[in-house]
Amino acid sequence: MKSLQKLRENSIKQTIEAIRKSVNEDSLINHTISNIGELDKVANLLVKRLREWFSLELPELDRSIQDHEVFIRQILEKNRNQLLKELKLTENESMGAKLEKKDHDEIVLLAKQIQQLHALRDQHISYLENVMKGYCPNMLEMCGTTIAASLIEHAGSLKRLASFPSSTVQLLGAEKALFRHLTKKSKPPKYGLIINHPIVTNADKDRKGKAARALADKISMAARLDYFKGEFKAKELKEDLERRFS
Amino acid sequence: MKSLQKLRENSIKQTIEAIRKSVNEDSLINHTISNIGELDKVANLLVKRLREWFSLELPELDRSIQDHEVFIRQILEKNRNQLLKELKLTENESMGAKLEKKDHDEIVLLAKQIQQLHALRDQHISYLENVMKGYCPNMLEMCGTTIAASLIEHAGSLKRLASFPSSTVQLLGAEKALFRHLTKKSKPPKYGLIINHPIVTNADKDRKGKAARALADKISMAARLDYFKGEFKAKELKEDLERRFS
């Protein structure tokens, strides 16, 4: 009886140990890149509100500036008169009302908050880059921070990514389109997460599929080099691709 | 021809003027209460990530603290050893891994960000209270800040709210359930947004519907008093209700 209990205690100890050791760079990368996605989503939601809210004051600014970060900077750095001048409007031509200071301040607080969310996102990206420099330098060089991290997150870990055939890497993130193809005979997808990679975006329209296939091939190699602690070869692999597709 | 053009210019001017004058307390209240809702949503989304991410370090804390704000304060104010002590765990008993400082810092940054979102939300609420004190003191006294603001937002403006019959006020925010009742013969809803009002929550289970009806009645009166700039009577109305339903 006693030895059984001891066995049980030891097993629990070993399991706790194993769980603790399962925390590695993969989990850090996964959480960071997921959080970057969430911060983007969150900031976009709040920016929509900011634009509508500020339009009480100056609806013309919303229409004239598309970029969210520029829009926020304008609100934070300039006062009403400066903004009116830039839009070449007089007080009477604008459709906005002049709000009291206390009402305006509330909008400014929201703008500041969104700016901080953007700053946190940027901070996360540079942290991610730092982690990946040590953990998977080939992937980082090959794909850039966000695409490389998304690929690892999608696969679950660098180990799994390295074990995938390159055709799977090519379509990671396009699962919905793939199954639509398999069940409803729609066109097969050509690329998944790598759609935003410069090699694919810069390729001619009729060679995008080819570029994606070649790129996935090299990414697969980079993942394997990283996982098995091989040398740093991503630069050559990338140059090779760039020669072929641009 | 010339007079036609003049007419056109004048019409445009008048329209701009009308749009500018349409900005009033209603629009400020609507934007603020909507933004409070969005900030809640956003903070909840990020807190979920924070809990998961921090669980790499100390999964036991996630389980032991339900309240998000307390959870965040714990992370920000205490270091690993203090937290372990509070959970009555030693380093070897915890299932969490000891992260490096740079990895831990990233989590702390997220926690700080969420704390600021909560602070902005609180700031918005006290601003809202301030606006409503001048604009609709009866509604404010009758329902409290968030419920009163939600009612106004849902109706579109204080004017429209004041024009609603009290049965409509009672069901504001329960439109889905109401139409389900009308089309599919499900039970009719008893209350909408006012479900969270203390008068309703504190009423006995079988008198909740009655309480909601009486409350909606008084809210309607409060809205009309506010819109037509009547005197401040909400205190008496509320006391009357409290006597009947508690």
Side-chain angles (χ1 to χ4, degrees):
Chain A
M1 206 52 220
K2 198 134 192 217
S3 69
L4 244 182
Q5 203 174 11
K6 227 178 190 173
L7 180 67
R8 183 173 179 271
E9 273 169 20
N10 269 327
S11 303
I12 290 180
K13 237 184 219 163
Q14 275 178 11
T15 311
I16 290 182
E17 183 93 7
I19 291 177
R20 193 179 313 131
K21 282 199 178 143
S22 73
V23 173
N24 58 7
E25 277 85 353
D26 282 328
S27 12
L28 296 174
I29 291 174
N30 289 352
H31 280 299
T32 316
I33 188 73
S34 307
N35 195 33
I36 289 172
E38 282 154 4
L39 285 171
D40 271 341
K41 203 172 128 189
V42 155
N44 277 337
L45 181 72
L46 293 179
V47 136
K48 260 196 247 165
R49 169 68 44 198
L50 177 72
R51 279 177 178 268
E52 254 189 78
W53 201 349
F54 190 75
S55 290
L56 297 179
E57 273 195 82
L58 204 58
E60 293 82 2
L61 191 69
D62 178 25
R63 260 166 279 151
S64 77
I65 302 179
Q66 296 292 323
D67 186 290
H68 293 331
E69 297 191 29
V70 178
F71 183 79
I72 291 171
R73 261 207 308 281
Q74 293 278 334
I75 293 183
L76 289 179
E77 288 167 10
K78 287 175 186 152
N79 64 27
R80 187 174 167 80
N81 289 334
Q82 285 169 316
L83 287 173
L84 279 171
K85 216 179 205 172
E86 271 186 30
L87 294 164
K88 296 198 182 69
L89 287 168
T90 67
E91 185 70 57
N92 281 328
E93 281 167 350
S94 159
M95 280 190 260
K98 193 164 182 177
L99 296 186
E100 279 177 52
K101 188 171 175 311
K102 71 175 172 52
D103 301 324
H104 175 76
D105 284 351
E106 217 59 20
I107 303 177
V108 167
L109 283 176
L110 178 61
K112 270 189 196 146
Q113 189 67 58
I114 301 172
Q115 204 176 41
Q116 283 173 6
L117 286 168
H118 286 154
L120 180 60
R121 180 188 184 283
D122 294 344
Q123 159 64 28
H124 275 341
I125 287 188
S126 72
Y127 160 75
L128 203 54
E129 204 176 323
N130 232 327
V131 172
M132 293 171 77
K133 244 182 216 157
Y135 183 60
C136 47
N138 283 299
M139 283 291 293
L140 182 62
E141 172 70 29
M142 199 66 216
C143 313
T145 321
T146 42
I147 296 182
S150 306
L151 285 169
I152 293 176
E153 192 229 346
H154 221 85
S157 66
L158 183 59
K159 184 180 171 186
R160 275 197 82 203
L161 185 65
S163 73
F164 284 162
S166 74
S167 54
T168 305
V169 174
Q170 185 182 347
L171 295 185
L172 269 185
E175 286 78 10
K176 241 175 141 175
L178 179 63
F179 286 108
R180 212 186 305 126
H181 165 62
L182 293 175
T183 57
K184 296 192 187 150
K185 311 265 170 203
S186 64
K187 275 192 195 170
K190 297 200 199 75
Y191 21 64
L193 291 167
I194 56 174
I195 188 172
N196 291 321
H197 193 290
I199 293 282
V200 177
T201 48
N202 292 339
D204 299 333
K205 212 191 152 204
D206 53 339
R207 295 185 74 206
K208 276 190 197 292
K210 233 184 190 103
R213 203 172 66 224
L215 174 64
D217 202 32
K218 305 291 184 191
I219 291 176
S220 245
M221 283 163 83
R224 285 166 201 176
L225 279 169
D226 284 331
Y227 182 64
F228 297 106
K229 303 289 169 225
E231 45 197 322
F232 182 72
K233 271 190 188 162
K235 265 220 163 88
E236 298 146 43
L237 295 175
K238 200 173 160 191
E239 273 162 15
D240 182 36
L241 278 178
E242 275 163 359
R243 246 194 320 275
R244 280 171 62 197
F245 295 98
S246 59
Chain B
M1 205 54 219
K2 198 134 191 218
S3 68
L4 246 182
Q5 203 173 12
K6 229 177 189 172
L7 179 67
R8 182 172 180 272
E9 274 169 22
N10 269 327
S11 305
I12 291 179
K13 237 184 221 165
Q14 276 176 11
T15 311
I16 290 182
E17 184 93 7
I19 291 177
R20 193 179 315 131
K21 282 199 177 140
S22 72
V23 173
N24 58 7
E25 276 85 354
D26 282 328
S27 12
L28 296 174
I29 291 174
N30 288 352
H31 280 297
T32 315
I33 187 75
S34 308
N35 196 33
I36 288 172
E38 282 154 3
L39 285 172
D40 271 340
K41 203 171 126 189
V42 156
N44 277 336
L45 181 72
L46 293 179
V47 133
K48 262 196 246 166
R49 169 67 45 201
L50 177 72
R51 279 177 178 268
E52 256 190 76
W53 200 349
F54 189 75
S55 289
L56 298 179
E57 274 195 80
L58 203 59
E60 291 82 3
L61 190 71
D62 178 23
R63 260 167 278 152
S64 78
I65 301 178
Q66 296 292 323
D67 187 290
H68 293 331
E69 297 191 31
V70 179
F71 184 80
I72 291 171
R73 260 207 309 281
Q74 292 279 334
I75 294 183
L76 289 178
E77 287 167 10
K78 287 174 187 156
N79 65 27
R80 186 174 168 78
N81 288 334
Q82 286 169 315
L83 288 174
L84 279 171
K85 213 179 205 172
E86 273 188 26
L87 294 164
K88 297 197 181 66
L89 287 169
T90 66
E91 183 71 56
N92 281 329
E93 281 168 348
S94 159
M95 281 190 260
K98 193 166 178 175
L99 296 186
E100 281 178 47
K101 186 171 176 310
K102 69 175 174 52
D103 301 325
H104 175 76
D105 284 351
E106 217 60 19
I107 302 178
V108 168
L109 283 176
L110 178 60
K112 269 189 197 148
Q113 189 68 58
I114 301 173
Q115 203 176 40
Q116 282 173 8
L117 287 169
H118 286 154
L120 180 59
R121 180 189 183 284
D122 295 344
Q123 159 64 29
H124 275 340
I125 287 188
S126 72
Y127 160 74
L128 203 53
E129 203 177 324
N130 230 328
V131 172
M132 293 169 78
K133 242 180 219 159
Y135 183 58
C136 46
N138 284 299
M139 283 291 292
L140 182 62
E141 173 70 28
M142 200 64 217
C143 313
T145 322
T146 42
I147 296 182
S150 305
L151 285 169
I152 293 175
E153 191 227 348
H154 221 87
S157 66
L158 182 61
K159 185 180 170 186
R160 274 197 82 204
L161 185 65
S163 73
F164 284 162
S166 74
S167 55
T168 305
V169 174
Q170 185 182 350
L171 295 185
L172 269 185
E175 287 76 9
K176 244 175 138 176
L178 179 65
F179 286 110
R180 213 185 304 126
H181 165 64
L182 293 175
T183 57
K184 294 190 190 151
K185 311 263 169 205
S186 64
K187 275 191 193 169
K190 298 200 199 76
Y191 22 64
L193 291 168
I194 55 174
I195 188 171
N196 291 320
H197 193 287
I199 293 281
V200 177
T201 49
N202 292 341
D204 299 331
K205 214 191 152 205
D206 54 337
R207 295 184 74 206
K208 275 190 197 294
K210 229 179 193 110
R213 203 172 65 223
L215 174 64
D217 202 34
K218 306 290 183 193
I219 291 176
S220 243
M221 281 164 85
R224 283 165 202 175
L225 280 169
D226 285 331
Y227 182 65
F228 296 108
K229 304 289 169 223
E231 47 200 317
F232 182 73
K233 272 191 188 162
K235 262 216 167 90
E236 298 146 43
L237 295 176
K238 202 174 159 191
E239 274 162 15
D240 182 37
L241 278 179
E242 276 163 0
R243 245 193 320 275
R244 280 171 60 197
F245 296 98
S246 59

